[in-house]
């Protein structure tokens, strides 16, 4: 099933970034078999990642509008297969591209509300450092007095969005710092555990010769006792032999 999906998925390589291509992509993910669905989703995700890199490199000389259309296609495609990381990465690239080119093309300007939605999605998916960076970009491009659209409603909307972005930036910074402390704590515990294991190994290596020496000492002591016992037996045998010879001499003299 997965190989079949990949073979059909090769059609995605065609330069057709349209809704029909997304519908075709979605058809690959329709399966009643959970195992097959997981395999196909994984295969299609890897295919999209590979193709997105290749395509984005190939359109470096295209217009901003064309680049944004391709980025939007892959954002929707990654969202379809559930690859939130790639989806957010390309969304962020598109937002930054728009802001960079907005000095020349005002219609590309990213509104505070768009930045806010991205920050919320990044935080909800656990990408705290990305959310923090997006907040910084949003606040650097838009100040409290920067009104993108005329009218009191737009002014209030922008101010509220900027205020919320500021709040979320503080939250993201706290989460990033907390994560950093957690990582440092985990690294410290791993290091201490490793040191304790090495210390225990060293202790065992030091104890091994001592225990061996103790056992060897017992063996030597037992050997000495054995030799002493054997020597005593020999002496007794010699004494018994001497006494026998002496008795024979006395008996001969008496006769």
């Amino acid at each position: 099933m997965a190989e079949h999906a990949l073979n059909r998925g090769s059609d995605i390589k065609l330069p057709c970034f349209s809704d029909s291509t997304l519908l075709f992509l979605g058809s690959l993910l329709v399966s009643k078999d959970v195992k097959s669905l997981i395999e196909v989703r994984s295969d299609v995700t890897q295919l999209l990642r590979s193709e997105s890199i290749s395509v984005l490199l190939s359109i470096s000389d295209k217009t901003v509008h064309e680049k944004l259309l391709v980025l939007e296609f892959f954002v929707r495609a990654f969202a379809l297969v559930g690859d939130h990381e790639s989806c957010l990465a390309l969304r962020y690239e598109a937002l930054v591209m728009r802001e960079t080119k907005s000095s020349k093309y005002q219609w590309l300007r990213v509104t505070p509300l768009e930045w806010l939605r991205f920050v919320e999605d990044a935080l909800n998916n656990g990408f705290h450092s990305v959310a923090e960076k997006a907040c910084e970009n949003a606040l650097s491009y838009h100040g409290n007095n920067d009104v993108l659209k005329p009218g009191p409603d737009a002014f209030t909307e922008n101010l509220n969005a900027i205020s919320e972005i500021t709040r979320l930036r503080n939250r993201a910074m706290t989460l990033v710092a907390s994560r950093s402390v957690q990582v440092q704590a985990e690294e410290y515990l791993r290091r201490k555990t490793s040191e304790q294991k090495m210390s225990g190994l060293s202790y065992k290596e030091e104890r091994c010769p001592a225990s061996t020496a103790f056992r060897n000492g017992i063996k030597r002591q037992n050997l000495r006792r054995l030799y002493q016992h054997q020597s005593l037996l020999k002496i007794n045998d010699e004494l018994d032999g001497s006494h026998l010879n002496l008795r024979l001499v006395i008996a001969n003299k008496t006769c």
Side-chain angles (χ1 to χ4, degrees), residues 1-227:
M1 178 64 180
E3 293 179 357
H4 177 62
L6 272 181
N7 291 334
R8 294 177 61 195
S10 63
D11 293 342
I12 299 175
K13 293 183 179 181
L14 297 175
C16 182
F17 308 108
S18 62
D19 290 342
S20 60
T21 305
L22 291 174
L23 288 174
F24 166 73
L25 181 61
S27 68
L28 299 178
L29 303 175
V30 177
S31 174
K32 295 181 180 179
D33 185 349
V34 176
K35 182 179 179 181
S36 297
L37 177 60
I38 293 175
E39 291 178 352
V40 171
R41 188 183 297 274
S42 176
D43 291 339
V44 174
T45 298
Q46 293 302 319
L47 175 64
L48 280 174
R49 288 184 176 183
S50 175
E51 286 300 306
S52 64
I53 295 174
S54 176
V55 170
L56 292 176
L57 289 175
S58 68
I59 63 171
S60 58
D61 58 342
K62 300 295 183 180
T63 66
V64 176
H65 180 66
E66 290 173 320
K67 291 178 181 178
L68 289 174
L69 286 177
V70 174
L71 283 172
E72 182 183 359
F73 169 82
F74 281 110
V75 165
R76 294 171 63 187
F78 281 121
L80 189 62
V81 299
D83 187 351
H84 300 297
E85 182 177 358
S86 299
C87 181
L88 284 169
L90 294 184
R91 281 179 63 190
Y92 182 76
E93 184 171 344
L95 291 173
V96 172
M97 181 183 297
R98 285 175 55 190
E99 289 287 19
T100 303
K101 301 296 183 179
S102 63
S103 58
K104 185 176 181 180
Y105 307 102
Q106 289 294 321
W107 58 273
L108 291 176
R109 194 72 180 273
V110 183
T111 67
L113 188 58
E114 288 179 287
W115 277 116
L116 176 59
R117 288 170 180 165
F118 177 83
V119 170
E120 290 174 337
D121 289 342
L123 284 175
N124 291 335
N125 285 281
F127 298 98
H128 306 144
S129 58
V130 175
E132 180 185 2
K133 184 63 176 177
C135 288
E136 293 175 355
N137 284 338
L139 295 175
S140 66
Y141 284 117
H142 307 288
N144 289 340
N145 296 322
D146 186 6
V147 182
L148 304 181
K149 299 177 182 178
D153 292 340
F155 179 80
T156 302
E157 181 182 85
N158 288 332
L159 285 181
N160 291 338
I162 291 172
S163 176
E164 184 66 9
I165 289 173
T166 303
R167 185 186 68 82
L168 292 179
R169 181 189 60 175
N170 295 334
R171 178 187 171 193
M173 292 173 63
T174 301
L175 291 172
V176 170
S178 176
R179 176 62 180 169
S180 178
V181 171
Q182 181 181 354
V183 170
Q184 292 178 14
E186 291 175 353
E187 291 178 350
Y188 173 77
L189 290 176
R190 283 197 298 267
R191 186 169 64 253
K192 291 299 293 183
T193 301
S194 177
E195 291 175 354
Q196 289 174 356
K197 288 182 179 179
M198 292 300 296
S199 177
L201 179 61
S202 177
Y203 178 67
K204 289 179 180 179
E205 290 176 350
E206 291 176 357
R207 288 186 59 188
C208 224
S211 60
T212 302
F214 178 75
R215 289 194 296 269
N216 291 339
I218 294 176
K219 290 180 181 179
R220 287 194 295 270
Q221 184 178 3
N222 291 335
L223 286 174
R224 284 197 298 270
R225 290 178 178 176
L226 177 62
Y227 293 152

